Amino acid sequence: MEKPSKETLERWRKDDKYWKLGSIYYNPEDQRILPPKRIAWMGWTVNFANKKSVLVFIAIMVITIVLIALVPHHQYHL
């Protein structure tokens, strides 16, 4: 598959049909792992139509949960 043009990438980011409930990106044509959010300066999002993207999202969530579980919890008394 050839790399999409800048115009195509911009159209995908702005087109409502690729955004479910206004904030969930779902575009089977887009093969990027972490495409930019609808408002690009706000960072990146997950393309839920891309299996690799979903796996990266799950891996990040699992690592975060494991790290939180491993950090000792301190009880502070006032």
Side-chain angles (χ1 to χ4, degrees), residues 20-60:
K20 308 303 178 195
L21 303 173
S23 62
I24 298 171
Y25 187 64
Y26 190 92
N27 181 355
E29 296 176 67
D30 190 348
Q31 296 302 306
R32 295 175 294 174
I33 302 296
L34 295 172
K37 288 188 175 189
R38 196 167 213 179
I39 301 171
W41 64 266
M42 293 184 76
W44 297 271
T45 191
V46 175
N47 179 3
F48 285 94
N50 181 335
K51 290 179 184 178
K52 291 178 187 175
S53 185
V54 173
L55 289 174
V56 167
F57 172 71
I58 291 170
I60 290 169

